[in-house]
Amino acid sequence: MLSEKEALVSSSSVAASRYGLSFTSGGLLDGEALVMAPLYLEHHDWEIVRRLTVEGDLLQTRAHSTGVTLARETAKRLSTLTDHEIAQLSDLTGTERGHMMWAAACRCHEFIGDFAEEVLRERFLTLAGTVTHEDYDSFYRAKAVWHEELSEVAESTYKKLRQMVFKMMVEACLVAKAGSIEPALFSKRVAEMLSARTPSDFRFFPTREA
């Protein structure tokens, strides 16, 4: 049992750990990753990769500001992958790349990782069968108790964040558009990359792998 002082310290520590919420556009960004990964393997500097991507309009966005946003967010997610994982991206199938980019999103954004582990995977393991907007809303409200930044977002941003999380799960073939959970079936090479981390990145997926 924690003392009152210990509880206050623990609560302050949790509250001080803010969620990053910069994933309001782009979805899984697997296409953008295919463009930017080779640049990183050539330069090994994400600032250079972002600059070359934006200056060359390599993501072919209509608005310059959109290109800047997508390049920044893609670089952030790719930077959570190892050089080996980045080198593998261009050789992966669409499903394999979806799994790796979902893992990258979960590594990059603690909010997404927590949702994946505490809601998506948990509902799969308990045979719930679906994950819904209501499940997301309940998760969000629970986290907002300790993360005031969640309570501060505008309603439009709240809906956009929810939309992006579900869009990513669909693009990663983890959830059908109707909300039913699709068990993750990993190739050998993806399973090896996901299991190389401690704790294993399997925790972000609807799977019984440990």
Side-chain angles (χ1 to χ4, degrees):
M1 178 72 69
L2 291 177
S3 68
E4 183 177 353
K5 180 178 180 180
E6 289 172 328
L8 286 173
V9 171
S10 177
S11 297
S12 297
S13 177
V14 172
S17 178
R18 293 178 65 86
Y19 281 137
L21 302 173
S22 62
F23 54 93
T24 54
S25 61
L28 205 59
L29 300 176
D30 54 333
E32 289 80 358
L34 280 179
V35 172
M36 296 177 68
L39 289 175
Y40 173 76
L41 295 173
E42 179 181 354
H43 299 283
H44 292 278
D45 186 316
W46 286 113
E47 286 301 319
I48 293 176
V49 171
R50 285 170 53 187
R51 177 172 56 79
L52 292 175
T53 300
V54 172
E55 290 179 354
D57 190 25
L58 300 184
L59 301 183
Q60 299 182 345
T61 56
R62 292 184 178 181
H64 175 77
S65 59
T66 301
V68 171
T69 298
L70 293 180
R72 180 174 59 247
E73 180 63 21
T74 304
K76 282 178 60 177
R77 296 189 198 177
L78 288 178
S79 69
T80 69
L81 302 181
T82 66
D83 284 7
H84 170 70
E85 290 169 338
I86 292 172
Q88 293 292 309
L89 285 180
S90 62
D91 292 329
L92 299 180
T93 65
T95 298
E96 290 174 321
R97 192 163 55 252
H99 288 160
M100 290 308 302
M101 290 305 296
W102 173 251
C106 292
R107 294 177 191 177
C108 181
H109 295 289
E110 186 181 2
F111 177 84
I112 299 176
D114 285 351
F115 177 81
E117 184 173 4
E118 298 173 23
V119 181
L120 175 62
R121 180 178 170 86
E122 186 63 22
R123 288 186 65 76
F124 170 77
L125 292 176
T126 57
L127 306 180
T130 62
V131 59
T132 66
H133 282 192
E134 288 73 20
D135 298 320
Y136 175 96
D137 294 342
S138 295
F139 168 82
Y140 194 103
R141 287 193 298 270
K143 292 299 182 182
V145 173
W146 301 106
H147 293 266
E148 62 181 15
E149 67 274 15
L150 296 180
S151 301
E152 295 169 352
V153 303
E155 180 68 16
S156 58
T157 301
Y158 174 87
K159 291 180 179 178
K160 193 66 173 178
L161 292 171
R162 185 177 62 189
Q163 177 189 351
M164 285 298 108
V165 170
F166 278 82
K167 177 180 173 66
M168 283 187 264
M169 290 192 294
V170 170
E171 291 178 348
C173 300
L174 304 178
V175 172
K177 289 185 177 180
S180 59
I181 299 172
E182 304 289 338
L185 302 176
F186 305 111
S187 66
K188 180 179 178 180
R189 56 184 174 178
V190 167
E192 289 175 347
M193 288 186 281
L194 295 178
S195 63
R197 293 173 65 90
T198 304
S200 164
D201 277 359
F202 288 140
R203 70 189 189 278
F204 299 136
F205 293 84
T207 178
R208 297 190 182 279
E209 297 279 357

